[in-house]
Amino acid sequence: MATRTGWSPGPAAWHDDLAPMPAAEWNYDRAAHLLTHAGFGGTPEEIQKLADAGLERAVQSLVYYESIPNPKMQPFVESGLWDPTLNGFPESRPEATDRAEKHGASMGIESKPSGNRPVQPVSDRFFYWLRATMLETRRLGYWWANRMLQTTHPVEQKMALLWHGHFATHENKVRDYRKMAQQIDLFERGATGNLRELTIKVAQNPAMLYFLDAQYNVKGAPNENFGREVMELFTMGVGNYSEKDVREGARAFTGWYFDDLAFKVDQDKHDGGVKAFLGRTGTFDGLDVLNIIFEQPVTAEYLAGKIYRFLVRDELSAELRKKLGAVLRDHHYDVKPLLTVIFSSRDFYSQASYGGHIKGPVEHMVAMMKHLGVDTMPGVPDFNQSTIAMGQHLLNPPSVAGWAGGKAWITPGLLIARGNVAREVLIPDMTGFRDWNFSAGSDDILGRRLRDGFDIGAATAVNDPSNMSAFDRVALERDEKFNTRISGYVGWEQAARKLIPTPRHAARFDLTELVVQSGAKTTSEAIDYLTWRTLRVPPAQAMRDTLVAFLTKELGTDNVLRARTYMEDPLRITMHLVMSTPEYQIV
Amino acid sequence: MTMHASRTNSSIQSIVSDVYLRSPTRPTRADRPLSPARRGGMLGAERRSPVTTKNRLGDSGVSRRDMIRLGAGGVGFGLCGGIGPVPYLLSQASRAAAATQSGRILVVFEWFGGNDGLNTIVPYGDATYYKHRPTIGIRERDLLPIDAHIGWHKSMSGMKHLYDEGKVAIVQGVGYDQPSFSHFSSASFWHTAAPNSGNEYGWIGRTASALDPAGARPNMIVNISDSQTLAVKAEKHVPLVFIDPMKFQRGVFAQEKAALDTLAAQHAPVGDAHRYVLEVTRSAAQASEVVRAAWGHYKGKDNPDLRLLDLDKVAALIEADFPTKLYYVPLRNSLFDTHVNQAAPHDRQLQYCSDAIAGFFQEMKRIGRADDVVMYVYSEFGRRVPENTSLGTDHGTAQVNFVIGNAVKGGLYGKPPSLTNLVLGDNLENTTDFRQVYATLIDEWMGADAVKVLGQRFATLGMFQAGSHA
């Protein structure tokens, strides 16, 4: 068997040293380290290509990816759930039904001229859209995950994931999958371009404007949400501006809003007066404010630090942060030079940067596919259910602060979830799987009752009146103009009629093939191959021995070729053991 | 002090004795008599008696079957300092070594999002309130009055009921100087009890350290959340963090169980991140089994009010006699950040919370632990005094806190903040530093050294019944 380059962290002295690593220090393991951190890891073949290229060309090919063909990227195919009558979607169900009562129609649906529950169709339509955009966003997440897995531009996708968590909005509030898709596109295109330009585009992005209540930020009544988050979270960090700057900055952004998917400024709502912002005075608008923010030294340090901690490791000294900020600033916020410096640096390959990063759930899942040689994200288990269980819901970060990352990804519950997700990928429960896109959750019982012939009143009655929550009690007393509980169910059904089903195939891989092709003949050699392929931190001797003993016992022999016809499931269970270890979670 | 050896494996027995002998604290009373697991469930079903039970250390009574069920994996780890990676057997022994107010529990219920205190405990007797809030001000007819000046928002009938029973302390004007208007910054100040400063550990984590300096007692802290709150970050205690007990279990095939137990945590750490994951791995495996067992036995599972806001998980662990002293429950999917069209979402959120709290204390009564449990409710800031042009309110400063429980001397605490002398533009000036409330809970209720936890002395508020003091 060919010897494989082992775990080779650089000397401790390389810590915080941004000088390039000498070319002679390049090897397969360092190439694996690079691909793992710059992207989502890779198969041995992908890593070997980088190893063969040498440090400089490897980094260059990863960072300057534009000319590399990317054949597997496909546009997102919509289910056809949206139509223009949903433009200007009401903010709440009461608003929707009030509009209908006042104007006779809402969201393209008219109220009934006579009969019971005259506004029911409008209420149904409201819940239809809530369900539709949520379900389509799940498809969007799955589509995006496949892009991360199939792209030949891993840095582009990795950075797009960073920007999504950095300029965070969640579909739960935005309520428009099209705006989320628009954001993914923005983050992919701007992934490694100019950060100032990306930030401006984000500030003019409909999802972000809606998410941060920009429509309420008007002349005479500035709403601070947007202005605050731009400074606190997107560019400078707390402590680098005053509350007055927040209020003055908000005034500059007044009138910034959107029409459907296009940015627009409502000049009537814009406060054109003089503002005092970060020591400057003038009749600033949002663009001016952003430019002033990018003139501050702290902005470069804040953003460079964020990039570094996402890609390399959590620990970042103030000194290194300053140096990184200087690189970003010297290049006028072009990201590629910074990435080149980082990926070429001694610090990147130092001891501290080896094993210093806990993979986030989405990253983890994509990497898992690479480890197994899977080229399409499976449908069983469901991608979103898996990553949610591990603590990350793509396109739905918990708040505008995004995901905390680092150690926050690991708690007892989340760690157990990682092992469980691995098992579901390796040994999927095909016959037990229930597609949550086609299940109305707790409203399923309403569907059953309706189909059994109950009328709406009876269908929505709770079984045990003494066991009702306060919310249920209120639900029963609903206005007879419509019934919200039924709408929740009906809305789901209507969306489900159009929703393109996610293919529910298992992950396609063949561990037997991989093991045999590697040249392994014994269970020892098989374990060595599999752990080399999947773990960055090499296994401790005791772990290796346990795995070998386990596999040998399962196969009834230590001769892998003898066992080859029935070896697949035992190998998969062995991989479950590997993927449940602490070592598998870090890179 | 002998352990019952009849059914125990002698090597495990000797390790247990070692643990006990090494433990710095000698027990004076055990909090809960330890019942043999074979009676049903790992945590036993014996009804507890009040805190004056005699020392039952010698009667661990854990069956050999249970130890095999848990796997010998825990023994293989060795007894790492203070992390508490101990299997069930050891946790029982060290639980019996509890020296402090044995049964006392603090549940922190964090109303994240910035709850509008002025529309929660409404100063309806003050005309200035309506001047500032002509549209969203709560009218007297929509209140549950406390006196001629203030009243509860009408959705809070559950908590009003508890208040009328003398079980709710309302602390008004709680905040800190130079307040932050950022959710995340302000929350982190509350979590660390270090406003405009910082601390590596959370105040709950530091309280655990004060109660158990050796960090030998596992599962001191439970955090019902899908990611660990800063408030519970502790030096030596690994908080038990989970959301769904049903999902909090390792999916394992029969043939891999033994290997899985052995595999965890065999590696020497290669760095800080790795070390952290190793620590959590150790506590995760055992913790999941006991949590699931507790959940399986919980009799209040169908309580619809509790279910909504995760307080049912707390009740389940308390019913199962968990050794946990400190529970932290952040509100999920909070509607409290009411910048826009405040009335409906605030109404709903207050209703959910109030019903959940009322339901929780009913559960405590049913379980027989109502005397032992105190709940603390706070938010990272209140909201601005005047309403904004979107029929909502922006981020503010001081707000109302609640402390709830049988042991609490119900009533009003702290000075109501002035509605005329506003600060920082149009905000309430706080009249009570939140660390006074913390100090009261840490010292008067949990019996720990509040000065140590908070770094300085804060005057406590005398919130607890005589006889419940340290």
Side-chain angles (χ1 to χ4, degrees):
Chain A
M1 304 211 60
T3 37
R4 306 187 180 101
T5 326
W7 175 258
S8 55
W14 282 3
H15 183 240
D16 282 6
D17 184 355
L18 285 181
M21 181 174 77
E25 294 278 348
W26 187 243
N27 60 34
Y28 178 93
D29 178 76
R30 300 246 163 100
H33 175 80
L34 172 62
L35 190 52
T36 300
H37 282 261
F40 303 89
T43 63
E45 297 72 32
E46 289 167 339
I47 296 168
Q48 191 61 55
K49 265 185 38 195
L50 286 180
D52 292 340
L55 169 62
E56 198 180 319
R57 276 199 305 132
V59 171
Q60 212 236 4
S61 70
L62 285 174
V63 175
Y64 294 88
Y65 46 76
E66 281 77 4
S67 58
I68 299 175
N70 208 350
K72 289 195 175 160
M73 301 292 99
Q74 300 295 330
F76 179 69
V77 177
E78 297 188 44
S79 302
L81 293 159
W82 186 84
D83 70 65
T85 62
L86 290 162
N87 211 354
F89 188 72
E91 300 226 342
S92 69
R93 198 275 308 143
E95 188 187 325
T97 45
D98 286 350
R99 251 195 233 171
E101 287 178 52
K102 224 175 278 175
H103 305 289
S106 177
M107 301 167 291
I109 304 293
E110 296 178 84
S111 41
K112 300 200 285 190
S114 68
N116 194 16
R117 298 194 179 92
V119 192
Q120 187 69 39
V122 173
S123 173
D124 291 348
R125 176 77 162 161
F126 180 82
F127 282 94
Y128 158 77
W129 181 243
L130 293 192
R131 305 292 183 252
T133 175
M134 176 193 75
L135 292 168
E136 192 76 332
T137 302
R138 287 180 187 172
R139 289 189 63 242
L140 202 54
Y142 176 71
W143 169 82
W144 193 9
N146 265 315
R147 288 171 87 75
M148 292 180 202
L149 180 57
Q150 294 165 351
T151 186
T152 55
H153 306 166
V155 170
E156 180 181 49
Q157 288 300 331
K158 192 82 179 281
M159 293 299 284
L161 182 58
L162 164 64
W163 299 130
H164 167 47
H166 179 72
F167 298 113
T169 62
H170 54 77
E171 183 276 332
N172 195 270
K173 175 168 180 182
V174 174
R175 287 181 179 169
D176 187 352
Y177 72 86
R178 303 169 312 140
K179 296 194 179 75
M180 303 310 289
Q182 201 179 33
Q183 278 202 322
I184 296 172
D185 183 62
L186 176 62
F187 296 142
E188 283 180 357
R189 286 175 199 273
T192 59
N194 184 282
L195 260 188
R196 192 183 59 86
E197 283 167 25
L198 178 61
T199 307
I200 290 170
K201 290 206 176 82
V202 168
Q204 298 176 340
N205 169 265
M208 186 58 75
L209 290 163
Y210 181 79
F211 189 69
L212 293 178
D213 303 323
Q215 72 269 35
Y216 298 104
N217 188 22
V218 298
K219 180 158 101 178
N223 176 299
E224 297 166 14
N225 206 2
F226 191 82
R228 180 188 303 287
E229 306 310 355
V230 165
M231 287 194 282
E232 179 180 337
L233 296 172
F234 298 166
T235 54
M236 292 191 285
V238 160
N240 293 298
Y241 53 86
S242 66
E243 280 304 306
K244 180 131 194 290
D245 290 322
V246 172
R247 297 196 202 203
E248 294 288 90
R251 291 177 54 211
F253 287 111
T254 47
W256 277 32
Y257 204 49
F258 60 89
D259 180 4
D260 196 22
L261 295 175
F263 171 66
K264 76 166 207 265
V265 180
D266 189 339
Q267 287 301 340
D268 290 338
K269 298 206 166 89
H270 177 66
D271 174 347
V274 173
K275 296 104 182 163
F277 181 74
L278 288 180
R280 303 265 306 272
T281 321
T283 56
F284 302 133
D285 70 0
L287 209 51
D288 299 318
V289 157
L290 287 169
N291 283 327
I292 295 171
I293 287 172
F294 275 85
E295 284 168 15
Q296 313 301 313
V298 71
T299 305
E301 289 172 22
Y302 179 81
L303 290 169
K306 201 93 197 273
I307 291 171
Y308 183 88
R309 297 186 78 216
F310 181 78
L311 294 174
V312 187
R313 60 175 197 257
D314 285 348
E315 176 265 321
L316 172 61
S317 66
E319 197 197 311
L320 180 58
R321 195 166 170 269
K322 256 198 164 66
K323 285 197 259 180
L324 294 166
V327 174
L328 191 58
R329 196 167 47 252
D330 290 346
H331 289 93
H332 313 290
Y333 292 96
D334 282 339
V335 170
K336 288 190 201 283
L338 175 64
L339 294 180
T340 304
V341 166
I342 291 173
F343 295 150
S344 312
S345 70
R346 289 167 205 231
D347 172 78
F348 184 71
Y349 300 95
S350 71
Q351 200 167 57
S353 299
Y354 262 62
H357 174 72
I358 297 172
K359 288 181 284 176
V362 170
E363 181 190 349
H364 181 83
M365 198 133 176
V366 177
M368 193 187 290
M369 300 306 143
K370 297 273 186 196
H371 294 154
L372 297 172
V374 174
D375 63 18
T376 310
M377 200 56 79
V380 178
D382 180 87
F383 169 75
N384 287 298
Q385 283 183 305
S386 304
T387 52
I388 289 168
M390 294 190 282
Q392 184 173 33
H393 187 177
L394 198 57
L395 304 171
N396 273 285
S399 76
V400 63
W403 293 283
K407 290 177 181 170
W409 291 131
I410 303 293
T411 68
L414 294 179
L415 197 51
I416 283 174
R418 287 174 178 232
N420 291 347
V421 166
R423 185 172 85 144
E424 296 309 303
V425 170
L426 291 158
I427 319 258
D429 185 6
M430 300 305 291
T431 53
F433 178 78
R434 183 101 206 271
D435 191 335
W436 71 329
N437 294 337
F438 294 94
S439 156
S442 56
D443 287 340
D444 271 346
I445 188 165
L446 295 184
R448 280 207 295 281
R449 289 180 183 158
L450 289 174
R451 299 187 81 87
D452 282 347
F454 286 86
D455 65 33
I456 287 181
T460 52
V462 178
N463 275 334
D464 180 1
S466 68
N467 193 25
M468 286 193 288
S469 73
F471 183 67
D472 283 338
R473 283 190 283 274
V474 173
L476 262 193
E477 293 154 25
R478 277 278 178 246
D479 201 317
E480 64 188 317
K481 293 189 194 144
F482 57 89
N483 180 306
T484 311
R485 266 203 85 183
I486 282 293
S487 290
Y489 166 73
V490 169
W492 202 306
E493 283 286 341
Q494 288 177 347
R497 283 183 203 170
K498 296 187 182 169
L499 186 74
I500 297 173
T502 299
R504 294 298 175 194
H505 53 73
R508 296 189 193 110
F509 61 100
D510 188 335
L511 291 179
T512 308
E513 179 74 15
L514 290 179
V515 164
V516 168
Q517 289 300 327
S518 79
K521 300 206 168 31
T522 64
T523 47
S524 288
E525 288 169 349
I527 294 298
D528 284 342
Y529 169 72
L530 289 172
T531 52
W532 168 80
R533 194 189 160 105
T534 55
L535 290 173
R536 287 292 302 139
V537 180
Q541 187 61 38
M543 172 179 166
R544 192 196 167 276
D545 293 343
T546 304
L547 291 170
V548 173
F550 175 77
L551 184 59
T552 306
K553 178 156 183 269
E554 288 299 301
L555 298 182
T557 170
D558 67 357
N559 179 340
V560 145
L561 296 175
R562 169 65 178 80
R564 111 185 248 177
T565 55
Y566 56 86
M567 194 165 62
E568 187 63 20
D569 272 18
L571 284 176
R572 292 185 179 208
I573 297 180
T574 306
M575 280 316 304
H576 176 224
L577 294 172
V578 172
M579 291 178 170
S580 302
T581 59
E583 289 71 53
Y584 187 68
Q585 317 311 323
I586 60 170
V587 292
Chain B
M1 272 136 300
T2 50
M3 307 289 294
H4 266 304
S6 51
R7 291 180 185 234
T8 64
N9 175 300
S10 60
S11 64
I12 292 177
Q13 177 201 356
S14 63
I15 287 165
V16 168
S17 317
D18 276 350
V19 169
Y20 178 70
L21 291 168
R22 271 193 240 154
S23 158
T25 54
R26 290 288 179 265
T28 53
R29 341 173 261 223
D31 34 337
R32 300 283 157 250
L34 305 164
S35 66
R38 62 184 173 280
R39 222 194 282 177
M42 290 166 139
L43 295 155
E46 190 170 334
R47 282 295 115 207
R48 63 216 38 77
S49 36
V51 297
T52 51
T53 321
K54 291 200 304 266
N55 183 353
R56 298 283 299 274
L57 180 64
D59 185 19
S60 74
V62 175
S63 74
R64 193 173 139 75
R65 202 185 95 238
D66 299 311
M67 286 187 300
I68 289 169
R69 187 150 43 115
L70 283 152
V75 175
F77 302 156
L79 297 162
C80 315
I83 287 164
V86 293
Y88 174 63
L89 167 63
L90 297 171
S91 84
Q92 276 194 320
S94 42
R95 185 177 2 135
T100 56
Q101 274 66 32
S102 18
R104 291 190 177 186
I105 290 170
L106 175 64
V107 180
V108 182
F109 190 15
E110 176 188 349
W111 289 3
F112 182 76
N115 173 40
D116 186 10
L118 280 182
N119 274 16
T120 307
I121 297 294
V122 182
Y124 74 95
D126 189 337
T128 326
Y129 167 72
Y130 294 106
K131 268 208 211 87
H132 284 298
R133 298 184 170 196
T135 325
I136 69 165
I138 312 279
R139 302 289 141 191
E140 189 179 340
R141 62 174 179 272
D142 291 328
L143 289 176
L144 306 167
I146 294 171
D147 59 26
H149 303 283
I150 54 175
W152 293 86
H153 185 295
K154 73 173 178 333
S155 296
M156 302 184 78
S157 53
M159 282 180 75
K160 166 75 164 52
H161 209 75
L162 287 167
Y163 182 80
D164 291 339
E165 292 176 353
K167 293 173 183 164
V168 180
I170 300 174
V171 193
Q172 298 177 81
V174 185
Y176 56 97
D177 294 338
Q178 291 162 27
S180 168
F181 294 92
S182 147
H183 288 293
F184 314 105
S185 294
S186 198
S188 73
F189 295 159
W190 282 75
H191 290 163
T192 52
N196 295 303
S197 174
N199 192 298
E200 189 180 348
Y201 303 112
W203 75 283
I204 291 292
R206 301 201 302 273
T207 303
S209 297
L211 289 169
D212 172 33
R217 287 157 52 189
N219 300 328
M220 278 277 281
I221 307 172
V222 166
N223 184 197
I224 310 291
S225 175
D226 53 17
S227 67
Q228 183 173 297
T229 312
L230 177 56
V232 305
K233 187 167 179 210
E235 190 179 348
K236 291 187 182 150
H237 299 88
V238 177
L240 181 44
V241 186
F242 68 94
I243 279 269
D244 184 346
M246 293 313 295
K247 298 219 180 85
F248 187 46
Q249 60 175 310
R250 298 181 311 172
V252 195
F253 292 115
Q255 64 268 47
E256 57 175 336
K257 218 172 272 189
L260 201 59
D261 283 338
T262 329
L263 272 179
Q266 284 179 320
H267 212 290
V270 303
D272 185 50
H274 190 203
R275 183 174 303 113
Y276 175 72
V277 182
L278 286 167
E279 280 177 12
V280 176
T281 304
R282 288 180 186 129
S283 81
Q286 282 89 20
S288 77
E289 304 216 29
V290 295
V291 163
R292 270 194 357 273
W295 185 250
H297 285 97
Y298 177 49
K299 294 183 185 53
K301 265 202 279 294
D302 296 320
N303 186 319
D305 293 325
L306 260 63
R307 208 187 313 135
L308 270 180
L309 302 181
D310 299 324
L311 292 178
D312 52 350
K313 286 115 187 185
V314 177
L317 300 191
I318 295 176
E319 180 167 38
D321 220 4
F322 246 55
T324 308
K325 298 252 153 280
L326 304 159
Y327 290 88
Y328 200 97
V329 185
L331 181 66
R332 290 194 286 154
N333 307 313
S334 164
L335 298 170
F336 278 129
D337 194 19
T338 48
H339 286 279
V340 171
N341 290 322
Q342 173 164 321
H346 196 222
D347 186 335
R348 199 150 91 230
Q349 189 66 79
L350 286 177
Q351 171 133 57
Y352 290 169
C353 289
S354 173
D355 289 343
I357 291 172
F360 176 76
F361 279 99
Q362 273 170 354
E363 278 291 280
M364 292 302 101
K365 194 161 158 202
R366 176 185 69 75
I367 294 169
R369 295 296 299 272
D371 290 340
D372 291 340
V373 179
V374 164
M375 177 180 286
Y376 172 48
V377 174
Y378 81 95
S379 196
E380 75 275 24
F381 43 61
R383 300 192 85 83
R384 210 146 299 171
V385 178
E387 63 190 38
N388 64 25
T389 54
S390 315
L391 304 183
T393 47
D394 294 317
H395 299 177
T397 53
Q399 32 102 26
V400 68
N401 283 189
F402 300 109
V403 182
I404 309 149
N406 285 8
V408 172
K409 275 193 311 205
L412 302 170
Y413 293 78
K415 210 174 108 200
S418 164
L419 288 173
T420 43
N421 297 336
L422 300 180
V423 297
L424 300 166
D426 36 19
N427 279 296
L428 296 171
E429 183 169 22
N430 76 82
T431 52
T432 303
D433 188 295
F434 73 92
R435 290 166 291 177
Q436 283 191 266
V437 186
Y438 282 13
T440 309
L441 295 166
I442 295 166
D443 175 277
E444 290 182 12
W445 179 241
M446 296 309 291
D449 184 349
V451 177
K452 189 150 189 245
V453 173
L454 299 173
Q456 43 176 304
R457 180 170 301 282
F458 291 91
T460 60
L461 300 170
M463 243 181 229
F464 290 93
Q465 307 283 2
S468 45
H469 284 250

